[in-house]
Amino acid sequence: MPILDAYAVIGNPISHSKSPLIHTAFAQQTSQAMRYEAILSPVDEFQKTVTAFHQQGGKGLNVTVPFKLEAYAFSTHLTERAESAQAVNTLQFKHDEILGDNTDGAGLVRDIETNLGISIASKRILLMGAGGAARGVVLPILKQGPAMLAIANRTPKKAQLLQQQFAAYGELVSGHFMDFSGESFDIIINATSASLQDAIPDLPANIFANGSLAYDMMYSHEPTRFLAFAQQNGAHNLADGIGMLVEQAAESFFLWRGIRPQTKPIIAQLKTHA
Ligand code: ATR
């Protein structure tokens, strides 16, 4: 039996994770000699669990809730996008170095631009939320050259802090959702965790421009309340976070293996069976 390079996703809880299915499909498709498992780490034993995996020859990890900040602190080297996200979702072990990367923003951008065929350049973008999920996508969005990026949050102060952090990278404004009443946006991205509680932020109904894209970074069997609201109020394109999930995985796979897998078949499979 050949020894297979070992990768895993680490989180708590982890049983729901689709990462093993996605990466196993990528490995088959690209004929990579690797295996990929899910690791449940006790919440207070992240470093111990990661170190044990590394010592057993593990090559890389995906990191999910609640460990993305700990992975950031644990990394000895960081990519620019992990540094700006202040969170790590991908670790790569190279000799004594632990490289921390964050592929979430690249996954979102690739899903919007390549899969949905919608260019971000010169568009007016509204990002809803100012927590970890929002922070992780701000720089990758700004690097595509939007006309402007508005960050709206229930607690406006947090949106303002993000605005200040990224001011050098593009045209940014911030505020409460209602501050944007009367303005319209081409792409509206929900990066709040409201959909997890089957809730919807306090969003003005008139913010969807003609032909706009409403994107929910969450996904579920039914359209989220945000996507239903967007459709009722004129958004033409609706997308949930399945495409982003698969694309961030592909970006991690590329970091580890140097090969870009085909994502469309697995996105289609997950959309059918999600
Ligand atoms: P994550 O890592 O998923 O971003 P987080 O850092 O806890 O989690 O951030 C959650 C985000 O969702 C925040 O922007 C939060 O708004 P506040 O900063 O005001 O707390 C937002 N959020 C959560 N539930 C919400 C709700 N019901 N309505 C509006 N925003 C909500």
Side-chain angles (χ1 to χ4, degrees), residues 84-141:
S84 74
Q86 292 172 19
V88 156
N89 78 338
T90 306
L91 292 170
Q92 183 181 33
F93 304 113
K94 291 197 279 191
H95 312 294
D96 290 341
E97 184 181 309
I98 304 171
L99 177 69
D101 194 6
N102 192 313
T103 63
D104 285 332
L108 173 72
V109 166
R110 191 171 270 268
D111 192 36
I112 292 175
E113 297 220 313
T114 307
N115 299 336
L116 302 172
I118 296 168
S119 169
I120 291 172
S122 306
K123 299 284 170 55
R124 287 170 55 84
I125 318 279
L126 177 68
L127 179 64
M128 301 160 55
R135 179 191 299 280
V137 302
V138 172
L139 185 62
I141 290 173

Side-chain angles (χ1 to χ4, degrees), residues 43-64:
V43 280
D44 55 352
E45 289 188 5
F46 172 75
Q47 292 200 9
K48 195 173 152 192
T49 313
V50 171
T51 303
F53 178 76
H54 185 196
Q55 282 172 351
Q56 287 156 21
K59 302 273 188 204
L61 285 168
N62 284 128
V63 181
T64 188

Side-chain angles (χ1 to χ4, degrees), residues 65 128-135 152-156 158 177 191-197 199-202 218:
V65 177
M128 301 160 55
R135 179 191 299 280
N153 198 43
R154 181 174 61 184
T155 313
K158 283 165 67 181
F177 301 106
T192 74
S193 52
S195 298
L196 282 179
Q197 312 140 23
I200 181 167
D202 204 3
M218 303 286 162

Side-chain angles (χ1 to χ4, degrees), residues 101-233:
D101 194 6
N102 192 313
T103 63
D104 285 332
L108 173 72
V109 166
R110 191 171 270 268
D111 192 36
I112 292 175
E113 297 220 313
T114 307
N115 299 336
L116 302 172
I118 296 168
S119 169
I120 291 172
S122 306
K123 299 284 170 55
R124 287 170 55 84
I125 318 279
L126 177 68
L127 179 64
M128 301 160 55
R135 179 191 299 280
V137 302
V138 172
L139 185 62
I141 290 173
L142 288 174
K143 287 205 160 177
Q144 299 305 309
M148 62 95 78
L149 175 63
I151 305 176
N153 198 43
R154 181 174 61 184
T155 313
K157 180 79 195 155
K158 283 165 67 181
Q160 196 189 356
L161 289 173
L162 281 188
Q163 180 192 352
Q164 286 162 357
Q165 183 190 339
F166 292 100
Y169 296 93
E171 187 64 30
L172 274 171
V173 294
S174 68
H176 186 271
F177 301 106
M178 282 302 171
D179 293 339
F180 297 100
S181 179
E183 295 195 43
S184 67
F185 297 87
D186 305 302
I187 302 176
I188 300 98
I189 300 163
N190 185 11
T192 74
S193 52
S195 298
L196 282 179
Q197 312 140 23
D198 197 22
I200 181 167
D202 204 3
L203 201 61
N206 56 6
I207 54 165
F208 301 95
N210 207 1
S212 65
L213 165 69
Y215 195 106
D216 201 326
M217 284 168 51
M218 303 286 162
Y219 54 85
S220 63
H221 298 284
E222 303 297 320
T224 64
R225 284 187 58 192
F226 164 67
L227 291 182
F229 178 83
Q231 187 169 34
Q232 281 158 19
N233 290 288

